[in-house]
Amino acid sequence: MYNLILRDLYLALYSSANFFYTSSFFILILVLLPFIFGTSIDQLQLLFKGTLWIGLSLSIILTMERIFNTDYEDGNLDIILQKNSSLEIIVISKYISHWLVYCLPLFIILPLLSLLFYLNTSDVFAIFLNLLLGSFGMIFIATFVSALTLAAKRTIFLKAIIMIPLFVPFVIFGSGDNSWLILLALSMLSFVVSIYVSTYGLRLYGES
Amino acid sequence: MYFRVTKNHINAIKAANPYLILSTVTAFVIGLYYALIQSPPDYIQGDSMRIMYIHVPSAWFALMCYTILAGSSVLWFITRNPTFNLVARSIAQIGMMFTVLSLVTGSIWGKPTWGVWWVWDARLTSMLLLFFLYLAYIFLWQAIANKDIASKISAALAIIGFINIPIIKFSVDWWNTLHQPASISKLSAPSIDVSMMLPLSIMTLASLLFLITVFFIRFRIEVLDNKILRAGDEI
Amino acid sequence: MKELRIEDLNCYRGSHLVLKRLNFSINSGETLLVRGDNGSGKTTLLRVLSNYIRSYEGNIYFNELKIKEDKNYKNKFTFIGQKNSLKDNLSVKKNLKLWEFLYNRKILPIEILSEFNLSQLIDDDVSSLSDGQRKCISIQKLRFSESILWFLDEPFVFLDEKNSKILMKKIEDFNKNNGIVIVTTNIDLGLKFQKEINLNV
């Protein structure tokens, strides 16, 4: 498990742009806001929270093929499946490594971004907590969709159509206030579904 | 041994087809006569509410088809009887059609009633997402070349979608109460007068007959396409 | 004396029966050449033997243990498929580093590359290599685990004469150390191995 996470981290480090890609992506999405809606502070603060969730959903959708699909296409998944003792361990390692590589950068730059949009500390903390708990659940969902759709190559839009309805509850509660407990519950529920469905997808993979 | 589709079943379905079409058309003619001519216009909404006789059955059957889709996917996982898989696949397109029909008719009904084509209400939003669940199910099956795996994966997706619908409904409800409490009372289901019950029942029956007719046509195509008939059962 | 034995193997892909009533056995120190046209089930056979495909009829024994039930079986074989397990946008050295993590074993990159005389490519991106060079590196996955079974799927495709000879030598040396090899091919390479089966019937 340790080795698999380390390998994914090295893979991300080697294509070192990855860390900058996700954070740049977020900043640029948010930079669009004042251009579209003007610079009124109240409006921007309202839009900031919603746009963060759209940005998070989009970046998870854009990167979800790197969870299992790319390893499947170049044959590395064969080695991963052979060398690890259980499918659950593979899936959990992928949750951790994918979150570290593609979600963590967002949380590092979030305080900085909130300065640009004049948010005070307590608001930032609430947004941070919601986004954090929601991002876990969304990674769980992306992982099982990736594992299920291994055999469907180059269909990122189809995968987006599958994933966005599953993201709806996260986005609804994430943009609300004081809803972190519900987000935690949603993430736990999606973990249970995800670990079961992802291992099923990987098991089917060998037969394709 | 479990139930398997045979040549006899397929022939029976084929033979029943004209009668099903005939009874569907008859039911629609009678139903539309009652709906459009015999029943009185609504006290408040006038003639525009007559679209309800199409809208309500479509919405019911859109949900029922998804229940059948998810139910037969579960049964297929448990029993591994390929018939359930074919039932799921045949019902998916019909369900999607009913979903589109209920969205479109609902929208047309909404314009004179609420003054807008669309309201961001829990029921409407869930219905729209249901459409995309159907869409994902149908396209995922097409996107995977190995049909054996495609069946398993789309069945899994159907079941996940079935878990997702109540969660979406619940969260959209919650979201609604937070953002627009006014629209809820406007959309609450009105009680139906007895004079409207008769046309509604006949139209529901007609829609059901239509569903069954199309289902059997699709089912027969799926069976012939997939050659799951027992060896020796030649068509 | 170890033995890989297949008894009455039937394997379906969808509704299509790919492997039909397959029977053979290989002893340690032997190489089996599997011939067959495209789509005759060569890759399927190797994936069955590697435990990736688990839905089949019949039994496969290695060392008198059913491979489906033997927990240690996954450490006994190496499967070299037609996919190279290489990341195109990374250099060869970085790819080898990633393999070190996957296989949990450290080997000097130079040691791996020198066998096929590819040492000068160590810093090149994989995308700039030829198909033959990628294949040679892919074959070197064999060095990352101490297996007693090698399953090589079309290993000679893209290899030039010199590298084919190096690979042949590698297989012969492995046989001398009691290793078992299964090689698939769809064209007649004029190679001689101890055993041969043909999947075209």
Side-chain angles (χ1 to χ4, degrees), chain A residues 3-4 6-7 10-11 14-15 70-76 78-83 85 205-208, chain C residues 13 47 52-53 55 74-75 77 79 83-87 89-90 94 97-99 101-104 141 145:
Chain A
N3 267 316
L4 189 53
L6 216 56
R7 177 258 179 187
Y10 264 88
L11 177 57
Y14 285 155
S15 17
T70 47
D71 279 339
Y72 170 61
E73 277 162 35
D74 59 30
N76 274 302
D78 277 340
I79 307 174
I80 297 175
L81 288 179
Q82 188 195 341
K83 288 293 162 189
S85 50
Y205 147 75
E207 304 184 5
S208 69
Chain C
R13 312 309 295 133
R47 292 192 77 83
Y52 291 121
I53 298 175
S55 50
K74 67 185 169 68
N75 296 321
F77 71 89
F79 168 70
K83 294 172 178 172
N84 291 329
S85 316
L86 292 168
K87 300 278 176 195
N89 53 337
L90 300 183
K94 287 175 176 173
K97 180 80 180 164
L98 293 179
W99 282 355
F101 286 116
L102 286 183
Y103 286 105
N104 197 13
K141 281 183 281 184
S145 38

Tab-separated table of all heavy atoms in Angstrom, chain A residues 3-4 6-7 10-11 14-15 70-76 78-83 85 205-208, chain C residues 13 47 52-53 55 74-75 77 79 83-87 89-90 94 97-99 101-104 141 145:
chain	number	residue	atom	x	y	z
A	3	ASN	N	3.941	1.481	-0.887
A	3	ASN	CA	4.668	1.572	-2.150
A	3	ASN	C	3.820	2.115	-3.281
A	3	ASN	O	4.302	2.878	-4.103
A	3	ASN	CB	5.179	0.185	-2.544
A	3	ASN	CG	6.580	-0.021	-2.045
A	3	ASN	OD1	7.409	0.856	-2.165
A	3	ASN	ND2	6.822	-1.164	-1.446
A	4	LEU	N	2.568	1.688	-3.288
A	4	LEU	CA	1.685	2.117	-4.371
A	4	LEU	C	1.411	3.620	-4.271
A	4	LEU	O	1.425	4.334	-5.277
A	4	LEU	CB	0.376	1.332	-4.300
A	4	LEU	CG	-0.577	1.499	-5.476
A	4	LEU	CD1	0.132	1.224	-6.780
A	4	LEU	CD2	-1.759	0.566	-5.315
A	6	LEU	N	3.381	5.788	-2.812
A	6	LEU	CA	4.649	6.441	-3.130
A	6	LEU	C	4.868	6.496	-4.640
A	6	LEU	O	5.313	7.497	-5.187
A	6	LEU	CB	5.775	5.664	-2.463
A	6	LEU	CG	6.946	6.482	-1.937
A	6	LEU	CD1	6.464	7.540	-0.965
A	6	LEU	CD2	7.949	5.554	-1.254
A	7	ARG	N	4.515	5.415	-5.294
A	7	ARG	CA	4.674	5.360	-6.749
A	7	ARG	C	3.803	6.421	-7.430
A	7	ARG	O	4.257	7.125	-8.330
A	7	ARG	CB	4.292	3.948	-7.231
A	7	ARG	CG	4.343	3.747	-8.716
A	7	ARG	CD	2.966	3.778	-9.297
A	7	ARG	NE	3.010	3.608	-10.743
A	7	ARG	CZ	1.964	3.727	-11.526
A	7	ARG	NH1	0.794	4.006	-11.013
A	7	ARG	NH2	2.062	3.565	-12.814
A	10	TYR	N	5.327	9.800	-6.823
A	10	TYR	CA	6.486	10.005	-7.709
A	10	TYR	C	6.037	10.287	-9.129
A	10	TYR	O	6.583	11.155	-9.808
A	10	TYR	CB	7.406	8.774	-7.680
A	10	TYR	CG	8.546	8.932	-6.713
A	10	TYR	CD1	8.400	8.559	-5.389
A	10	TYR	CD2	9.759	9.487	-7.119
A	10	TYR	CE1	9.439	8.729	-4.482
A	10	TYR	CE2	10.801	9.655	-6.229
A	10	TYR	CZ	10.636	9.274	-4.908
A	10	TYR	OH	11.658	9.456	-4.032
A	11	LEU	N	5.023	9.529	-9.581
A	11	LEU	CA	4.498	9.738	-10.933
A	11	LEU	C	4.031	11.176	-11.089
A	11	LEU	O	4.299	11.833	-12.104
A	11	LEU	CB	3.343	8.765	-11.181
A	11	LEU	CG	2.614	8.862	-12.516
A	11	LEU	CD1	3.578	8.688	-13.655
A	11	LEU	CD2	1.524	7.809	-12.594
A	14	TYR	N	7.128	13.514	-11.073
A	14	TYR	CA	7.890	13.470	-12.312
A	14	TYR	C	7.225	14.313	-13.386
A	14	TYR	O	7.886	15.000	-14.153
A	14	TYR	CB	8.040	12.026	-12.803
A	14	TYR	CG	9.044	11.230	-12.025
A	14	TYR	CD1	8.971	9.846	-11.962
A	14	TYR	CD2	10.085	11.862	-11.348
A	14	TYR	CE1	9.892	9.111	-11.256
A	14	TYR	CE2	11.006	11.134	-10.640
A	14	TYR	CZ	10.909	9.762	-10.597
A	14	TYR	OH	11.822	9.044	-9.889
A	15	SER	N	5.894	14.195	-13.467
A	15	SER	CA	5.226	15.127	-14.382
A	15	SER	C	4.866	16.332	-13.513
A	15	SER	O	3.722	16.573	-13.205
A	15	SER	CB	3.990	14.502	-15.020
A	15	SER	OG	3.574	13.365	-14.326
A	70	THR	N	-5.512	5.452	-17.076
A	70	THR	CA	-4.222	5.533	-17.782
A	70	THR	C	-3.353	4.321	-17.443
A	70	THR	O	-2.695	3.772	-18.315
A	70	THR	CB	-3.468	6.816	-17.413
A	70	THR	OG1	-3.485	6.965	-16.000
A	70	THR	CG2	-4.104	8.025	-18.041
A	71	ASP	N	-3.377	3.898	-16.182
A	71	ASP	CA	-2.605	2.713	-15.805
A	71	ASP	C	-3.124	1.472	-16.527
A	71	ASP	O	-2.371	0.569	-16.858
A	71	ASP	CB	-2.674	2.480	-14.295
A	71	ASP	CG	-1.700	3.364	-13.548
A	71	ASP	OD1	-0.742	3.838	-14.176
A	71	ASP	OD2	-1.900	3.577	-12.347
A	72	TYR	N	-4.431	1.454	-16.768
A	72	TYR	CA	-5.013	0.325	-17.485
A	72	TYR	C	-4.548	0.330	-18.940
A	72	TYR	O	-4.147	-0.698	-19.477
A	72	TYR	CB	-6.534	0.420	-17.412
A	72	TYR	CG	-7.273	-0.543	-18.315
A	72	TYR	CD1	-7.113	-1.912	-18.157
A	72	TYR	CD2	-8.122	-0.089	-19.312
A	72	TYR	CE1	-7.780	-2.797	-18.972
A	72	TYR	CE2	-8.788	-0.965	-20.133
A	72	TYR	CZ	-8.616	-2.320	-19.966
A	72	TYR	OH	-9.281	-3.197	-20.778
A	73	GLU	N	-4.549	1.524	-19.543
A	73	GLU	CA	-4.240	1.582	-20.969
A	73	GLU	C	-2.774	1.283	-21.269
A	73	GLU	O	-2.463	0.695	-22.293
A	73	GLU	CB	-4.650	2.940	-21.546
A	73	GLU	CG	-6.132	2.944	-21.880
A	73	GLU	CD	-6.703	4.329	-22.035
A	73	GLU	OE1	-5.992	5.206	-22.528
A	73	GLU	OE2	-7.874	4.523	-21.652
A	74	ASP	N	-1.845	1.699	-20.371
A	74	ASP	CA	-0.445	1.388	-20.674
A	74	ASP	C	0.031	0.072	-20.029
A	74	ASP	O	1.195	-0.282	-20.163
A	74	ASP	CB	0.479	2.560	-20.314
A	74	ASP	CG	0.396	2.945	-18.851
A	74	ASP	OD1	0.131	2.046	-18.036
A	74	ASP	OD2	0.602	4.120	-18.530
A	75	GLY	N	-0.861	-0.641	-19.347
A	75	GLY	CA	-0.500	-1.965	-18.848
A	75	GLY	C	0.033	-1.988	-17.427
A	75	GLY	O	0.322	-3.069	-16.902
A	76	ASN	N	0.177	-0.827	-16.777
A	76	ASN	CA	0.690	-0.830	-15.408
A	76	ASN	C	-0.288	-1.456	-14.418
A	76	ASN	O	0.116	-1.974	-13.377
A	76	ASN	CB	1.003	0.602	-14.952
A	76	ASN	CG	2.394	1.017	-15.374
A	76	ASN	OD1	3.372	0.376	-15.021
A	76	ASN	ND2	2.471	2.060	-16.179
A	78	ASP	N	-1.905	-4.128	-14.728
A	78	ASP	CA	-1.590	-5.561	-14.628
A	78	ASP	C	-0.621	-5.816	-13.483
A	78	ASP	O	-0.796	-6.732	-12.684
A	78	ASP	CB	-0.944	-6.054	-15.928
A	78	ASP	CG	-1.985	-6.400	-16.982
A	78	ASP	OD1	-3.143	-6.615	-16.610
A	78	ASP	OD2	-1.616	-6.451	-18.167
A	79	ILE	N	0.429	-4.981	-13.427
A	79	ILE	CA	1.442	-5.157	-12.380
A	79	ILE	C	0.835	-4.836	-11.017
A	79	ILE	O	1.049	-5.573	-10.050
A	79	ILE	CB	2.652	-4.226	-12.640
A	79	ILE	CG1	3.181	-4.422	-14.068
A	79	ILE	CG2	3.742	-4.495	-11.627
A	79	ILE	CD1	4.265	-3.436	-14.430
A	80	ILE	N	0.076	-3.736	-10.955
A	80	ILE	CA	-0.527	-3.343	-9.677
A	80	ILE	C	-1.412	-4.456	-9.143
A	80	ILE	O	-1.358	-4.810	-7.965
A	80	ILE	CB	-1.332	-2.038	-9.857
A	80	ILE	CG1	-0.406	-0.890	-10.256
A	80	ILE	CG2	-2.096	-1.686	-8.586
A	80	ILE	CD1	-1.112	0.408	-10.566
A	81	LEU	N	-2.226	-5.037	-10.025
A	81	LEU	CA	-3.137	-6.096	-9.591
A	81	LEU	C	-2.368	-7.330	-9.133
A	81	LEU	O	-2.767	-8.014	-8.193
A	81	LEU	CB	-4.091	-6.488	-10.722
A	81	LEU	CG	-5.177	-5.481	-11.075
A	81	LEU	CD1	-6.027	-5.992	-12.228
A	81	LEU	CD2	-6.065	-5.201	-9.879
A	82	GLN	N	-1.260	-7.620	-9.823
A	82	GLN	CA	-0.509	-8.826	-9.463
A	82	GLN	C	0.227	-8.663	-8.138
A	82	GLN	O	0.294	-9.573	-7.333
A	82	GLN	CB	0.490	-9.168	-10.568
A	82	GLN	CG	1.164	-10.501	-10.358
A	82	GLN	CD	2.387	-10.682	-11.232
A	82	GLN	OE1	2.556	-9.997	-12.224
A	82	GLN	NE2	3.243	-11.609	-10.864
A	83	LYS	N	0.790	-7.460	-7.924
A	83	LYS	CA	1.711	-7.301	-6.806
A	83	LYS	C	1.056	-6.905	-5.493
A	83	LYS	O	1.716	-6.852	-4.470
A	83	LYS	CB	2.787	-6.254	-7.174
A	83	LYS	CG	3.769	-6.771	-8.200
A	83	LYS	CD	4.603	-7.888	-7.612
A	83	LYS	CE	5.281	-8.706	-8.707
A	83	LYS	NZ	5.924	-9.921	-8.205
A	85	SER	N	-1.857	-7.444	-2.461
A	85	SER	CA	-2.551	-8.614	-1.941
A	85	SER	C	-4.062	-8.487	-2.038
A	85	SER	O	-4.745	-9.478	-2.202
A	85	SER	CB	-2.138	-8.868	-0.499
A	85	SER	OG	-2.244	-7.680	0.234
A	205	TYR	N	-12.226	-6.089	-14.694
A	205	TYR	CA	-11.206	-5.614	-15.623
A	205	TYR	C	-10.376	-6.767	-16.180
A	205	TYR	O	-10.107	-6.843	-17.371
A	205	TYR	CB	-10.293	-4.609	-14.928
A	205	TYR	CG	-8.885	-4.680	-15.426
A	205	TYR	CD1	-8.557	-4.159	-16.669
A	205	TYR	CD2	-7.908	-5.337	-14.699
A	205	TYR	CE1	-7.271	-4.261	-17.149
A	205	TYR	CE2	-6.628	-5.437	-15.165
A	205	TYR	CZ	-6.319	-4.903	-16.388
A	205	TYR	OH	-5.061	-5.029	-16.865
A	206	GLY	N	-9.976	-7.672	-15.299
A	206	GLY	CA	-9.141	-8.786	-15.719
A	206	GLY	C	-9.761	-9.584	-16.846
A	206	GLY	O	-9.081	-10.237	-17.615
A	207	GLU	N	-11.093	-9.489	-16.929
A	207	GLU	CA	-11.772	-10.292	-17.938
A	207	GLU	C	-11.952	-9.538	-19.251
A	207	GLU	O	-12.559	-10.046	-20.174
A	207	GLU	CB	-13.139	-10.724	-17.390
A	207	GLU	CG	-13.002	-11.471	-16.075
A	207	GLU	CD	-14.323	-11.991	-15.568
A	207	GLU	OE1	-15.315	-11.851	-16.271
A	207	GLU	OE2	-14.336	-12.539	-14.462
A	208	SER	N	-11.428	-8.319	-19.310
A	208	SER	CA	-11.669	-7.568	-20.552
A	208	SER	C	-10.418	-7.536	-21.413
A	208	SER	O	-9.331	-7.741	-20.940
A	208	SER	CB	-12.133	-6.159	-20.264
A	208	SER	OG	-11.079	-5.429	-19.694
C	13	ARG	N	-15.339	-15.961	-23.980
C	13	ARG	CA	-15.318	-14.502	-23.969
C	13	ARG	C	-16.673	-14.079	-24.502
C	13	ARG	O	-16.940	-14.249	-25.692
C	13	ARG	CB	-14.218	-13.915	-24.854
C	13	ARG	CG	-12.837	-14.485	-24.724
C	13	ARG	CD	-12.289	-14.575	-23.329
C	13	ARG	NE	-12.075	-13.310	-22.651
C	13	ARG	CZ	-12.483	-13.101	-21.395
C	13	ARG	NH1	-13.177	-14.023	-20.752
C	13	ARG	NH2	-12.218	-11.983	-20.797
C	47	ARG	N	-3.590	-14.806	-19.920
C	47	ARG	CA	-4.283	-14.074	-18.856
C	47	ARG	C	-4.983	-15.024	-17.895
C	47	ARG	O	-5.121	-14.729	-16.706
C	47	ARG	CB	-5.268	-13.054	-19.436
C	47	ARG	CG	-4.588	-11.909	-20.161
C	47	ARG	CD	-5.544	-10.769	-20.463
C	47	ARG	NE	-5.827	-9.960	-19.300
C	47	ARG	CZ	-5.042	-8.979	-18.860
C	47	ARG	NH1	-3.940	-8.688	-19.507
C	47	ARG	NH2	-5.350	-8.305	-17.786
C	52	TYR	N	-5.632	-13.423	-14.075
C	52	TYR	CA	-6.426	-12.217	-14.299
C	52	TYR	C	-7.857	-12.623	-14.651
C	52	TYR	O	-8.809	-12.068	-14.137
C	52	TYR	CB	-5.848	-11.363	-15.428
C	52	TYR	CG	-4.528	-10.721	-15.091
C	52	TYR	CD1	-3.398	-10.978	-15.842
C	52	TYR	CD2	-4.422	-9.858	-14.010
C	52	TYR	CE1	-2.185	-10.382	-15.528
C	52	TYR	CE2	-3.218	-9.266	-13.685
C	52	TYR	CZ	-2.102	-9.535	-14.453
C	52	TYR	OH	-0.904	-8.958	-14.144
C	53	ILE	N	-7.980	-13.591	-15.540
C	53	ILE	CA	-9.303	-14.113	-15.893
C	53	ILE	C	-9.576	-15.310	-14.997
C	53	ILE	O	-8.790	-16.260	-14.955
C	53	ILE	CB	-9.348	-14.539	-17.379
C	53	ILE	CG1	-9.087	-13.331	-18.272
C	53	ILE	CG2	-10.682	-15.182	-17.718
C	53	ILE	CD1	-8.987	-13.670	-19.745
C	55	SER	N	-12.913	-16.682	-14.659
C	55	SER	CA	-14.112	-17.455	-14.993
C	55	SER	C	-13.800	-18.390	-16.155
C	55	SER	O	-13.790	-17.988	-17.305
C	55	SER	CB	-15.262	-16.514	-15.346
C	55	SER	OG	-14.829	-15.564	-16.290
C	74	LYS	N	0.836	-15.612	-7.031
C	74	LYS	CA	1.097	-14.322	-7.689
C	74	LYS	C	2.565	-13.923	-7.610
C	74	LYS	O	3.011	-13.086	-8.394
C	74	LYS	CB	0.205	-13.230	-7.104
C	74	LYS	CG	0.478	-12.868	-5.661
C	74	LYS	CD	-0.571	-11.861	-5.192
C	74	LYS	CE	-0.530	-11.644	-3.704
C	74	LYS	NZ	0.687	-10.972	-3.258
C	75	ASN	N	3.332	-14.523	-6.701
C	75	ASN	CA	4.762	-14.212	-6.653
C	75	ASN	C	5.598	-15.169	-7.502
C	75	ASN	O	6.819	-15.067	-7.548
C	75	ASN	CB	5.252	-14.277	-5.206
C	75	ASN	CG	4.583	-13.224	-4.367
C	75	ASN	OD1	4.365	-12.110	-4.820
C	75	ASN	ND2	4.206	-13.600	-3.148
C	77	PHE	N	4.981	-15.942	-10.898
C	77	PHE	CA	5.028	-15.744	-12.343
C	77	PHE	C	5.289	-14.278	-12.682
C	77	PHE	O	5.083	-13.386	-11.870
C	77	PHE	CB	3.710	-16.185	-12.989
C	77	PHE	CG	2.554	-15.272	-12.706
C	77	PHE	CD1	2.281	-14.197	-13.536
C	77	PHE	CD2	1.729	-15.487	-11.612
C	77	PHE	CE1	1.224	-13.348	-13.283
C	77	PHE	CE2	0.671	-14.640	-11.347
C	77	PHE	CZ	0.416	-13.573	-12.183
C	79	PHE	N	4.217	-11.833	-16.018
C	79	PHE	CA	3.473	-11.773	-17.269
C	79	PHE	C	3.938	-10.542	-18.037
C	79	PHE	O	3.898	-9.433	-17.529
C	79	PHE	CB	1.972	-11.694	-16.956
C	79	PHE	CG	1.106	-11.354	-18.143
C	79	PHE	CD1	0.931	-12.263	-19.168
C	79	PHE	CD2	0.443	-10.132	-18.212
C	79	PHE	CE1	0.129	-11.950	-20.264
C	79	PHE	CE2	-0.362	-9.821	-19.300
C	79	PHE	CZ	-0.520	-10.738	-20.319
C	83	LYS	N	1.095	-4.726	-23.828
C	83	LYS	CA	1.231	-3.332	-23.382
C	83	LYS	C	2.558	-3.207	-22.645
C	83	LYS	O	2.953	-4.118	-21.916
C	83	LYS	CB	0.075	-2.960	-22.458
C	83	LYS	CG	-1.276	-2.948	-23.148
C	83	LYS	CD	-2.367	-2.764	-22.119
C	83	LYS	CE	-3.732	-2.708	-22.767
C	83	LYS	NZ	-4.800	-2.722	-21.732
C	84	ASN	N	3.233	-2.066	-22.817
C	84	ASN	CA	4.606	-1.964	-22.333
C	84	ASN	C	4.765	-1.511	-20.891
C	84	ASN	O	5.860	-1.508	-20.362
C	84	ASN	CB	5.380	-0.992	-23.225
C	84	ASN	CG	5.580	-1.573	-24.602
C	84	ASN	OD1	5.681	-2.786	-24.742
C	84	ASN	ND2	5.601	-0.727	-25.610
C	85	SER	N	3.688	-1.062	-20.253
C	85	SER	CA	3.756	-0.525	-18.883
C	85	SER	C	4.695	0.666	-18.786
C	85	SER	O	5.323	0.883	-17.758
C	85	SER	CB	4.200	-1.574	-17.857
C	85	SER	OG	3.551	-2.777	-18.066
C	86	LEU	N	4.816	1.423	-19.867
C	86	LEU	CA	5.690	2.595	-19.844
C	86	LEU	C	4.848	3.851	-19.984
C	86	LEU	O	3.873	3.868	-20.722
C	86	LEU	CB	6.693	2.525	-21.004
C	86	LEU	CG	7.741	1.424	-20.921
C	86	LEU	CD1	8.456	1.278	-22.242
C	86	LEU	CD2	8.730	1.699	-19.808
C	87	LYS	N	5.246	4.904	-19.235
C	87	LYS	CA	4.563	6.190	-19.363
C	87	LYS	C	5.282	7.003	-20.446
C	87	LYS	O	6.466	7.309	-20.301
C	87	LYS	CB	4.593	6.952	-18.031
C	87	LYS	CG	3.936	6.222	-16.881
C	87	LYS	CD	2.433	6.411	-16.894
C	87	LYS	CE	1.786	5.599	-15.782
C	87	LYS	NZ	0.345	5.464	-15.966
C	89	ASN	N	5.314	10.082	-21.447
C	89	ASN	CA	5.856	11.429	-21.271
C	89	ASN	C	7.026	11.474	-20.295
C	89	ASN	O	7.552	12.546	-20.022
C	89	ASN	CB	4.737	12.365	-20.799
C	89	ASN	CG	4.034	11.831	-19.572
C	89	ASN	OD1	4.080	10.617	-19.335
C	89	ASN	ND2	3.425	12.681	-18.790
C	90	LEU	N	7.426	10.327	-19.749
C	90	LEU	CA	8.531	10.308	-18.784
C	90	LEU	C	9.766	9.680	-19.416
C	90	LEU	O	9.687	8.926	-20.373
C	90	LEU	CB	8.150	9.513	-17.535
C	90	LEU	CG	6.943	10.017	-16.747
C	90	LEU	CD1	6.751	9.156	-15.515
C	90	LEU	CD2	7.107	11.470	-16.345
C	94	LYS	N	13.050	7.444	-15.183
C	94	LYS	CA	11.911	7.666	-14.284
C	94	LYS	C	10.922	6.513	-14.352
C	94	LYS	O	10.357	6.097	-13.337
C	94	LYS	CB	11.222	8.983	-14.637
C	94	LYS	CG	12.032	10.197	-14.215
C	94	LYS	CD	11.413	11.489	-14.672
C	94	LYS	CE	12.219	12.668	-14.144
C	94	LYS	NZ	11.754	13.950	-14.700
C	97	LYS	N	12.221	3.811	-12.268
C	97	LYS	CA	12.031	4.145	-10.858
C	97	LYS	C	10.602	3.792	-10.411
C	97	LYS	O	10.388	3.250	-9.317
C	97	LYS	CB	12.291	5.646	-10.666
C	97	LYS	CG	12.138	6.142	-9.252
C	97	LYS	CD	13.367	5.837	-8.440
C	97	LYS	CE	13.193	6.337	-7.021
C	97	LYS	NZ	14.174	5.743	-6.115
C	98	LEU	N	9.625	4.075	-11.279
C	98	LEU	CA	8.230	3.744	-10.948
C	98	LEU	C	8.058	2.231	-10.820
C	98	LEU	O	7.335	1.746	-9.950
C	98	LEU	CB	7.280	4.286	-12.020
C	98	LEU	CG	7.165	5.803	-12.132
C	98	LEU	CD1	6.206	6.190	-13.241
C	98	LEU	CD2	6.709	6.410	-10.817
C	99	TRP	N	8.726	1.476	-11.688
C	99	TRP	CA	8.658	0.011	-11.586
C	99	TRP	C	9.245	-0.475	-10.260
C	99	TRP	O	8.761	-1.438	-9.681
C	99	TRP	CB	9.420	-0.631	-12.755
C	99	TRP	CG	8.653	-0.622	-14.041
C	99	TRP	CD1	7.375	-0.212	-14.214
C	99	TRP	CD2	9.123	-1.047	-15.313
C	99	TRP	NE1	7.010	-0.337	-15.529
C	99	TRP	CE2	8.052	-0.850	-16.233
C	99	TRP	CE3	10.318	-1.570	-15.789
C	99	TRP	CZ2	8.164	-1.174	-17.581
C	99	TRP	CZ3	10.424	-1.886	-17.137
C	99	TRP	CH2	9.364	-1.691	-18.025
C	101	PHE	N	9.013	0.873	-7.430
C	101	PHE	CA	7.972	0.950	-6.402
C	101	PHE	C	6.930	-0.137	-6.601
C	101	PHE	O	6.501	-0.777	-5.647
C	101	PHE	CB	7.292	2.318	-6.425
C	101	PHE	CG	8.144	3.405	-5.860
C	101	PHE	CD1	8.568	4.453	-6.652
C	101	PHE	CD2	8.521	3.368	-4.521
C	101	PHE	CE1	9.362	5.449	-6.120
C	101	PHE	CE2	9.312	4.364	-3.992
C	101	PHE	CZ	9.736	5.417	-4.789
C	102	LEU	N	6.520	-0.338	-7.866
C	102	LEU	CA	5.471	-1.318	-8.126
C	102	LEU	C	5.918	-2.717	-7.739
C	102	LEU	O	5.155	-3.497	-7.171
C	102	LEU	CB	5.069	-1.291	-9.604
C	102	LEU	CG	4.243	-0.104	-10.068
C	102	LEU	CD1	3.867	-0.263	-11.529
C	102	LEU	CD2	2.979	0.028	-9.229
C	103	TYR	N	7.178	-3.050	-8.051
C	103	TYR	CA	7.673	-4.398	-7.759
C	103	TYR	C	8.346	-4.488	-6.400
C	103	TYR	O	8.721	-5.566	-5.956
C	103	TYR	CB	8.657	-4.851	-8.838
C	103	TYR	CG	8.007	-5.228	-10.147
C	103	TYR	CD1	8.068	-4.392	-11.240
C	103	TYR	CD2	7.331	-6.436	-10.271
C	103	TYR	CE1	7.483	-4.738	-12.438
C	103	TYR	CE2	6.738	-6.795	-11.467
C	103	TYR	CZ	6.812	-5.939	-12.548
C	103	TYR	OH	6.220	-6.290	-13.728
C	104	ASN	N	8.547	-3.319	-5.773
C	104	ASN	CA	9.196	-3.267	-4.469
C	104	ASN	C	10.581	-3.916	-4.507
C	104	ASN	O	10.916	-4.777	-3.693
C	104	ASN	CB	8.315	-3.953	-3.414
C	104	ASN	CG	8.720	-3.573	-2.007
C	104	ASN	OD1	9.486	-2.625	-1.816
C	104	ASN	ND2	8.218	-4.305	-1.037
C	141	LYS	N	11.072	-6.223	-17.405
C	141	LYS	CA	10.269	-6.377	-16.187
C	141	LYS	C	10.538	-7.741	-15.546
C	141	LYS	O	10.325	-7.936	-14.355
C	141	LYS	CB	8.772	-6.249	-16.512
C	141	LYS	CG	8.301	-4.824	-16.671
C	141	LYS	CD	6.805	-4.743	-16.917
C	141	LYS	CE	6.468	-5.065	-18.353
C	141	LYS	NZ	5.043	-4.911	-18.677
C	145	SER	N	11.232	-9.459	-10.630
C	145	SER	CA	10.729	-10.422	-9.646
C	145	SER	C	11.381	-11.787	-9.853
C	145	SER	O	11.755	-12.149	-10.957
C	145	SER	CB	9.203	-10.526	-9.705
C	145	SER	OG	8.755	-10.447	-11.021
